[in-house]
Amino acid sequence: MKFQQATFNDLPMLTKIMTEAIELLKKQGSPQWQNGHGPTAQKLTEDIRNQRTDIIKTASGEIAGTIALIPGVDPAYTAITKGEWQGDAEYLAFHRVAINQRFRGQKIAAKLLEAAVNEAAKSGINDLRIDTHELNIGMQKVIKEAGFHYCGVVHFPIPDGQRLAYQKIV
């Protein structure tokens, strides 16, 4: 597997992967990314333009998964409740994690998070943060297995915007 920055050539596949992920969450009964509040082609385009989207490819070159690595202060993360972040160092937020449906069940999400953690460490950022909806049990499991620890609850300014927040200090 190869972890690399996404390009505009990847946009059609990334849009397809996100659409499939939104449908999967809906089938699982999660309100996360529903009703127009999920990653759009416009948001993915912006992330690629700002060099914030990474992908993991198979040996044959297929995109197996994607993640957005967002530096700087995330406004939703500033008002954590029911807990607290460990420290106040510069951090990297992991967002928009999605796996190509052809590769679900193959631990691609774990490989994607591991690669993103390694990429952050290379750039000298040791404080990593991620969130997910309380009904997204699969993602919670992957996050915990990747060594992130529960820190509290953050709130995005959208319907059903409450998310479980996790942190990993490398």
Side-chain angles (χ1 to χ4, degrees):
M1 299 242 121
K2 182 177 181 188
F3 186 76
Q4 65 188 59
Q5 206 161 66
T7 69
F8 287 112
N9 291 336
D10 301 318
L11 186 59
M13 181 52 80
L14 295 180
T15 302
K16 181 178 187 291
I17 290 169
M18 285 300 171
T19 301
E20 293 167 353
I22 290 166
E23 276 303 306
L24 177 65
L25 289 169
K26 183 178 182 177
K27 285 179 187 173
Q28 293 173 342
S30 175
Q32 184 176 350
W33 292 358
Q34 302 304 306
N35 303 314
H37 296 289
T40 62
Q42 180 181 356
K43 185 62 180 168
L44 295 171
T45 300
E46 179 185 326
D47 283 346
I48 291 170
R49 182 180 306 113
N50 293 319
Q51 300 181 334
R52 294 181 173 169
T53 295
D54 288 281
I55 55 177
I56 193 164
K57 286 187 168 185
T58 65
S60 65
E62 290 182 86
I63 298 173
T66 182
I67 186 170
L69 305 178
I70 311 295
V73 175
D74 186 321
Y77 285 9
T78 60
I80 191 168
T81 61
K82 301 180 183 177
E84 63 185 6
W85 298 113
Q86 303 304 305
D88 59 359
E90 177 185 354
Y91 63 89
L92 190 65
F94 292 5
H95 288 298
R96 295 180 277 292
V97 175
I99 304 305
N100 183 331
Q101 73 177 1
R102 287 183 14 83
F103 299 98
R104 287 196 189 130
Q106 298 179 32
K107 304 230 180 251
I108 300 297
K111 293 173 185 171
L112 184 63
L113 285 185
E114 180 183 357
V117 167
N118 291 337
E119 187 68 23
K122 280 189 229 173
S123 65
I125 299 176
N126 300 315
D127 187 341
L128 311 173
R129 301 179 186 188
I130 192 169
D131 66 86
T132 195
H133 195 276
E134 66 182 339
L135 295 178
N136 194 341
I137 305 302
M139 190 63 198
Q140 288 176 51
K141 181 179 176 189
V142 171
I143 289 169
K144 291 173 189 172
E145 287 175 355
F148 286 79
H149 301 283
Y150 174 79
C151 288
V153 176
V154 294
H155 303 268
F156 287 88
I158 58 173
D160 294 306
Q162 181 172 303
R163 302 287 186 266
L164 304 178
Y166 299 84
Q167 182 178 33
K168 180 174 183 166
I169 308 289
V170 246

